[in-house]
Amino acid sequence: MHDLLRSLWDEPRPPHPTPRARWDLVLVGALAVAAVLEGALRADLAFPVVSVVVAVGLLPTLPLRRTRPLRAVVIAFGVCAVTPLATGVEPELNTMVYLLLLPFALYRWGSGREAALGSLVVLAKLGSSLALGTVGLGDTLGGAVVVCTACALGAALRYRVRARTRELDQAKLLERERLARDLHDTVAHHVSAMAIRAQAGLATAAANPAAAVDALRVIESEASRALAEMRAMVRVLRQDERVDLAPTPRVADLGQLAARPHLGPEVDVEVVGDVDDLPPSVGTAVYRLAQESVTNALRHARHATRIAVRVVADDRSVHLRVSDDGETPARPAAGRGHGLIGMAERAGLLGGTCEAGPDPGRGWTVTAVLPRTGATA
């Protein structure tokens, strides 16, 4: 129990809080107008001026709730606790229900210490109102339940976002591991060629020095290409996993996607341009992106009759487009599937882009653009 409490106390703030948005200012303005109108129109308010001043005066705490959640809670609930001491009445505008956003944000964006301290402030406010007699026991208990509900919703959203982030990170990591294996095969090919040429050069150096010089030129060329491929492995993570012994696929292997036996829609593959001298990392990436796109289409494209795979290569880049004529509403939302995330990760590591989305009316299209050199900064 002690370790659990300690871990909750040491809980850090979630990263990247949502910045202050324009709609926050719109919300503050709308609530200010609502508070003034309620104070002017309600006849049952004992001190309407006090209630309106407190309600409007605490509105600036709303834009602080994500970046300074504890400060916002202390200011808002501290003022609400001090007001009955000074005036003898509790601010009772219905508009002040916006204060529930503060404990919600405290548990959504605050650290464990901030959540604990802020909860004490809220409880102290409820206890002081009960002790002063400005709020009855039933209202105090009801208010505590409502505040606890807001806190629970904030905590639930916090951990739901955290779980989703972990899932996305796992999808990216798996794609990086797969790319690392592909690049490892490519570099191993270059190094093997260098070793063979070096052995041949040593064997013929005494009898034919020119052959040794040619071998050195080949070794230099292979080394340059290997270094270029190694740059693509920067920041790519790789963990222990079963080794895939199948040959690394290239653009020339795209025909296998159309030749595979299946009961689904027909797969048409078209390659335009020179793809023979593509770096292995780029060729493999094009194949993997097309393979994942076709797999997704076969899995999700309801009533589709055709899947078109088109690769166009020019002097600077390689363009991939995979489209189908299936029903759009049956698809997952763009950017949410792990497959799409992995595809974008693979393209990004090679300095390219990958996007997916529905077509107007019917169908789904995946487009990717990769630099021909496959270099990444």
Side-chain angles (χ1 to χ4, degrees), residues 343-354:
M343 292 162 62
E345 184 73 7
R346 175 181 284 267
L349 289 172
L350 293 176
T353 60
C354 180

Side-chain angles (χ1 to χ4, degrees), residues 103-348:
F104 171 87
L106 180 67
Y107 276 76
R108 171 64 182 92
W109 296 109
S111 64
R113 300 182 183 186
E114 289 175 328
L117 296 175
S119 299
L120 292 177
V121 172
V122 175
L123 291 176
K125 191 277 170 193
L126 295 175
S128 65
S129 298
L130 180 62
L132 292 174
T134 56
V135 178
L137 178 59
D139 290 339
T140 300
L141 294 177
V145 170
V146 172
V147 171
C148 289
T149 301
C151 294
L153 290 175
L157 180 59
R158 176 196 191 110
Y159 292 110
R160 181 179 180 275
V161 171
R162 176 181 296 180
R164 177 62 178 170
T165 301
R166 288 177 178 174
E167 291 179 0
L168 299 183
D169 290 341
Q170 182 67 17
K172 292 179 180 180
L173 179 58
L174 291 176
E175 187 61 29
R176 289 186 178 197
E177 292 172 3
R178 193 177 182 184
L179 177 60
R181 290 195 302 271
D182 293 339
L183 293 176
H184 172 269
D185 294 341
T186 299
V187 175
H189 167 75
H190 291 311
V191 174
S192 299
M194 292 162 57
I196 293 173
R197 297 297 299 187
Q199 293 170 358
L202 289 175
T204 59
N208 188 359
V213 173
D214 291 338
L216 290 175
R217 290 195 183 97
V218 174
I219 291 173
E220 189 276 335
S221 175
E222 292 291 335
S224 299
R225 295 178 62 183
L227 288 175
E229 296 295 334
M230 286 292 291
R231 293 191 186 99
M233 300 179 68
V234 175
R235 298 175 61 204
V236 176
L237 303 178
R238 183 179 187 181
Q239 297 178 345
D240 294 335
E241 188 176 301
R242 246 168 110 182
V243 178
D244 187 1
L245 299 180
T248 303
R250 299 289 188 266
V251 177
D253 300 314
L254 286 175
Q256 299 175 4
L257 301 178
R260 291 183 309 173
H262 54 74
L263 300 178
E266 179 184 0
V267 180
D268 294 332
V269 177
E270 180 183 8
V271 179
V272 179
D274 183 13
V275 296
D276 294 335
D277 61 344
L278 286 178
S281 60
V282 177
T284 301
V286 171
Y287 178 88
R288 295 298 190 193
L289 295 175
Q291 181 186 44
E292 183 69 23
S293 301
V294 171
T295 301
N296 288 340
L298 294 174
R299 183 180 304 163
H300 299 294
R302 296 181 56 189
H303 305 136
T305 60
R306 182 175 181 270
I307 301 174
V309 179
R310 179 178 173 84
V311 177
V312 179
D314 55 34
D315 295 337
R316 302 183 59 182
S317 59
V318 181
H319 299 255
L320 169 68
R321 187 177 189 272
V322 181
S323 60
D324 62 74
D325 56 358
E327 294 181 359
T328 300
R331 310 301 180 81
R336 294 186 182 179
H338 289 180
L340 297 180
I341 295 170
M343 292 162 62
E345 184 73 7
R346 175 181 284 267

Side-chain angles (χ1 to χ4, degrees), residues 70-91:
L70 178 59
R71 181 180 301 178
V73 168
V74 170
I75 292 174
F77 286 86
V79 170
C80 290
V82 171
T83 300
L85 294 175
T87 63
V89 296
E90 191 83 22

